[in-house]
mmCIF file with all atom_site columns, all heavy atoms in Angstrom:
data_model
loop_
_atom_site.group_PDB
_atom_site.id
_atom_site.type_symbol
_atom_site.label_atom_id
_atom_site.label_alt_id
_atom_site.label_comp_id
_atom_site.label_asym_id
_atom_site.label_entity_id
_atom_site.label_seq_id
_atom_site.pdbx_PDB_ins_code
_atom_site.Cartn_x
_atom_site.Cartn_y
_atom_site.Cartn_z
_atom_site.occupancy
_atom_site.B_iso_or_equiv
_atom_site.pdbx_formal_charge
_atom_site.auth_seq_id
_atom_site.auth_comp_id
_atom_site.auth_asym_id
_atom_site.auth_atom_id
_atom_site.pdbx_PDB_model_num
ATOM 1  N N   . LEU A 1 40  ? -110.633 59.139 226.317 1.00 0.00 ? 68  LEU A N   1
ATOM 2  C CA  . LEU A 1 40  ? -109.631 58.647 225.398 1.00 0.00 ? 68  LEU A CA  1
ATOM 3  C C   . LEU A 1 40  ? -109.194 57.207 225.736 1.00 0.00 ? 68  LEU A C   1
ATOM 4  O O   . LEU A 1 40  ? -109.253 56.823 226.926 1.00 0.00 ? 68  LEU A O   1
ATOM 5  C CB  . LEU A 1 40  ? -108.403 59.551 225.418 1.00 0.00 ? 68  LEU A CB  1
ATOM 6  C CG  . LEU A 1 40  ? -108.618 60.954 224.890 1.00 0.00 ? 68  LEU A CG  1
ATOM 7  C CD1 . LEU A 1 40  ? -107.430 61.838 225.257 1.00 0.00 ? 68  LEU A CD1 1
ATOM 8  C CD2 . LEU A 1 40  ? -108.760 60.920 223.343 1.00 0.00 ? 68  LEU A CD2 1
ATOM 9  N N   . ILE A 1 71  ? -75.589  60.764 224.149 1.00 0.00 ? 99  ILE A N   1
ATOM 10 C CA  . ILE A 1 71  ? -76.723  61.683 224.007 1.00 0.00 ? 99  ILE A CA  1
ATOM 11 C C   . ILE A 1 71  ? -76.838  62.530 225.310 1.00 0.00 ? 99  ILE A C   1
ATOM 12 O O   . ILE A 1 71  ? -76.611  62.014 226.408 1.00 0.00 ? 99  ILE A O   1
ATOM 13 C CB  . ILE A 1 71  ? -78.032  60.923 223.712 1.00 0.00 ? 99  ILE A CB  1
ATOM 14 C CG1 . ILE A 1 71  ? -79.067  61.916 223.151 1.00 0.00 ? 99  ILE A CG1 1
ATOM 15 C CG2 . ILE A 1 71  ? -78.580  60.179 224.938 1.00 0.00 ? 99  ILE A CG2 1
ATOM 16 C CD1 . ILE A 1 71  ? -80.162  61.300 222.348 1.00 0.00 ? 99  ILE A CD1 1
ATOM 17 N N   . HIS A 1 85  ? -93.143  76.501 235.597 1.00 0.00 ? 113 HIS A N   1
ATOM 18 C CA  . HIS A 1 85  ? -92.332  76.775 236.779 1.00 0.00 ? 113 HIS A CA  1
ATOM 19 C C   . HIS A 1 85  ? -92.526  75.765 237.880 1.00 0.00 ? 113 HIS A C   1
ATOM 20 O O   . HIS A 1 85  ? -92.447  76.057 239.093 1.00 0.00 ? 113 HIS A O   1
ATOM 21 C CB  . HIS A 1 85  ? -92.619  78.194 237.325 1.00 0.00 ? 113 HIS A CB  1
ATOM 22 C CG  . HIS A 1 85  ? -92.511  79.248 236.266 1.00 0.00 ? 113 HIS A CG  1
ATOM 23 N ND1 . HIS A 1 85  ? -91.303  79.581 235.670 1.00 0.00 ? 113 HIS A ND1 1
ATOM 24 C CD2 . HIS A 1 85  ? -93.439  80.019 235.645 1.00 0.00 ? 113 HIS A CD2 1
ATOM 25 C CE1 . HIS A 1 85  ? -91.502  80.492 234.736 1.00 0.00 ? 113 HIS A CE1 1
ATOM 26 N NE2 . HIS A 1 85  ? -92.808  80.788 234.693 1.00 0.00 ? 113 HIS A NE2 1
ATOM 27 N N   . ALA A 1 91  ? -88.761  62.218 237.562 1.00 0.00 ? 119 ALA A N   1
ATOM 28 C CA  . ALA A 1 91  ? -87.419  61.745 237.179 1.00 0.00 ? 119 ALA A CA  1
ATOM 29 C C   . ALA A 1 91  ? -87.007  62.324 235.834 1.00 0.00 ? 119 ALA A C   1
ATOM 30 O O   . ALA A 1 91  ? -87.879  62.427 234.953 1.00 0.00 ? 119 ALA A O   1
ATOM 31 C CB  . ALA A 1 91  ? -87.420  60.210 237.139 1.00 0.00 ? 119 ALA A CB  1
ATOM 32 N N   . ARG A 1 97  ? -90.491  55.213 221.644 1.00 0.00 ? 125 ARG A N   1
ATOM 33 C CA  . ARG A 1 97  ? -90.775  53.885 221.041 1.00 0.00 ? 125 ARG A CA  1
ATOM 34 C C   . ARG A 1 97  ? -89.515  53.479 220.262 1.00 0.00 ? 125 ARG A C   1
ATOM 35 O O   . ARG A 1 97  ? -88.771  54.341 219.773 1.00 0.00 ? 125 ARG A O   1
ATOM 36 C CB  . ARG A 1 97  ? -91.943  53.969 220.104 1.00 0.00 ? 125 ARG A CB  1
ATOM 37 C CG  . ARG A 1 97  ? -93.229  54.418 220.734 1.00 0.00 ? 125 ARG A CG  1
ATOM 38 C CD  . ARG A 1 97  ? -93.937  53.391 221.570 1.00 0.00 ? 125 ARG A CD  1
ATOM 39 N NE  . ARG A 1 97  ? -95.256  53.914 221.971 1.00 0.00 ? 125 ARG A NE  1
ATOM 40 C CZ  . ARG A 1 97  ? -96.147  53.255 222.671 1.00 0.00 ? 125 ARG A CZ  1
ATOM 41 N NH1 . ARG A 1 97  ? -95.883  52.050 223.127 1.00 0.00 ? 125 ARG A NH1 1
ATOM 42 N NH2 . ARG A 1 97  ? -97.303  53.818 222.972 1.00 0.00 ? 125 ARG A NH2 1
ATOM 43 N N   . LEU A 1 118 ? -76.872  65.321 219.878 1.00 0.00 ? 146 LEU A N   1
ATOM 44 C CA  . LEU A 1 118 ? -78.253  65.741 220.209 1.00 0.00 ? 146 LEU A CA  1
ATOM 45 C C   . LEU A 1 118 ? -78.402  65.980 221.714 1.00 0.00 ? 146 LEU A C   1
ATOM 46 O O   . LEU A 1 118 ? -77.733  65.323 222.554 1.00 0.00 ? 146 LEU A O   1
ATOM 47 C CB  . LEU A 1 118 ? -79.218  64.617 219.839 1.00 0.00 ? 146 LEU A CB  1
ATOM 48 C CG  . LEU A 1 118 ? -79.304  64.248 218.365 1.00 0.00 ? 146 LEU A CG  1
ATOM 49 C CD1 . LEU A 1 118 ? -80.193  63.007 218.164 1.00 0.00 ? 146 LEU A CD1 1
ATOM 50 C CD2 . LEU A 1 118 ? -79.901  65.415 217.579 1.00 0.00 ? 146 LEU A CD2 1
ATOM 51 N N   . ALA A 1 123 ? -89.272  63.825 225.758 1.00 0.00 ? 151 ALA A N   1
ATOM 52 C CA  . ALA A 1 123 ? -89.558  62.720 224.812 1.00 0.00 ? 151 ALA A CA  1
ATOM 53 C C   . ALA A 1 123 ? -90.928  62.173 225.180 1.00 0.00 ? 151 ALA A C   1
ATOM 54 O O   . ALA A 1 123 ? -91.911  62.932 225.153 1.00 0.00 ? 151 ALA A O   1
ATOM 55 C CB  . ALA A 1 123 ? -88.454  61.684 224.860 1.00 0.00 ? 151 ALA A CB  1
ATOM 56 N N   . ILE A 1 151 ? -98.675  63.756 220.843 1.00 0.00 ? 179 ILE A N   1
ATOM 57 C CA  . ILE A 1 151 ? -97.871  62.693 220.229 1.00 0.00 ? 179 ILE A CA  1
ATOM 58 C C   . ILE A 1 151 ? -96.726  62.313 221.219 1.00 0.00 ? 179 ILE A C   1
ATOM 59 O O   . ILE A 1 151 ? -96.255  61.190 221.197 1.00 0.00 ? 179 ILE A O   1
ATOM 60 C CB  . ILE A 1 151 ? -97.327  63.153 218.847 1.00 0.00 ? 179 ILE A CB  1
ATOM 61 C CG1 . ILE A 1 151 ? -98.554  63.376 217.936 1.00 0.00 ? 179 ILE A CG1 1
ATOM 62 C CG2 . ILE A 1 151 ? -96.427  62.068 218.214 1.00 0.00 ? 179 ILE A CG2 1
ATOM 63 C CD1 . ILE A 1 151 ? -98.242  64.136 216.697 1.00 0.00 ? 179 ILE A CD1 1
ATOM 64 N N   . SER A 1 167 ? -67.805  69.995 223.988 1.00 0.00 ? 195 SER A N   1
ATOM 65 C CA  . SER A 1 167 ? -68.074  70.966 225.058 1.00 0.00 ? 195 SER A CA  1
ATOM 66 C C   . SER A 1 167 ? -69.460  70.777 225.670 1.00 0.00 ? 195 SER A C   1
ATOM 67 O O   . SER A 1 167 ? -69.733  71.230 226.771 1.00 0.00 ? 195 SER A O   1
ATOM 68 C CB  . SER A 1 167 ? -67.982  72.377 224.501 1.00 0.00 ? 195 SER A CB  1
ATOM 69 O OG  . SER A 1 167 ? -68.999  72.608 223.579 1.00 0.00 ? 195 SER A OG  1
ATOM 70 N N   . LEU A 1 201 ? -80.162  72.602 209.657 1.00 0.00 ? 229 LEU A N   1
ATOM 71 C CA  . LEU A 1 201 ? -79.368  71.374 209.856 1.00 0.00 ? 229 LEU A CA  1
ATOM 72 C C   . LEU A 1 201 ? -80.184  70.328 210.619 1.00 0.00 ? 229 LEU A C   1
ATOM 73 O O   . LEU A 1 201 ? -80.260  69.178 210.262 1.00 0.00 ? 229 LEU A O   1
ATOM 74 C CB  . LEU A 1 201 ? -78.062  71.711 210.520 1.00 0.00 ? 229 LEU A CB  1
ATOM 75 C CG  . LEU A 1 201 ? -77.182  70.507 210.929 1.00 0.00 ? 229 LEU A CG  1
ATOM 76 C CD1 . LEU A 1 201 ? -76.741  69.720 209.719 1.00 0.00 ? 229 LEU A CD1 1
ATOM 77 C CD2 . LEU A 1 201 ? -75.913  70.988 211.696 1.00 0.00 ? 229 LEU A CD2 1
ATOM 78 N N   . LYS A 1 228 ? -100.178 53.903 214.930 1.00 0.00 ? 256 LYS A N   1
ATOM 79 C CA  . LYS A 1 228 ? -100.522 52.659 215.610 1.00 0.00 ? 256 LYS A CA  1
ATOM 80 C C   . LYS A 1 228 ? -100.243 52.700 217.130 1.00 0.00 ? 256 LYS A C   1
ATOM 81 O O   . LYS A 1 228 ? -100.693 51.835 217.846 1.00 0.00 ? 256 LYS A O   1
ATOM 82 C CB  . LYS A 1 228 ? -99.794  51.508 214.975 1.00 0.00 ? 256 LYS A CB  1
ATOM 83 C CG  . LYS A 1 228 ? -98.297  51.502 215.217 1.00 0.00 ? 256 LYS A CG  1
ATOM 84 C CD  . LYS A 1 228 ? -97.680  50.171 214.757 1.00 0.00 ? 256 LYS A CD  1
ATOM 85 C CE  . LYS A 1 228 ? -96.212  50.115 215.036 1.00 0.00 ? 256 LYS A CE  1
ATOM 86 N NZ  . LYS A 1 228 ? -95.639  48.792 214.901 1.00 0.00 ? 256 LYS A NZ  1
#
Side-chain angles (χ1 to χ4, degrees):
L68 293 167
I99 199 159
H113 308 292
R125 302 283 187 178
L146 298 171
I179 298 165
S195 66
L229 174 62
K256 69 170 184 169

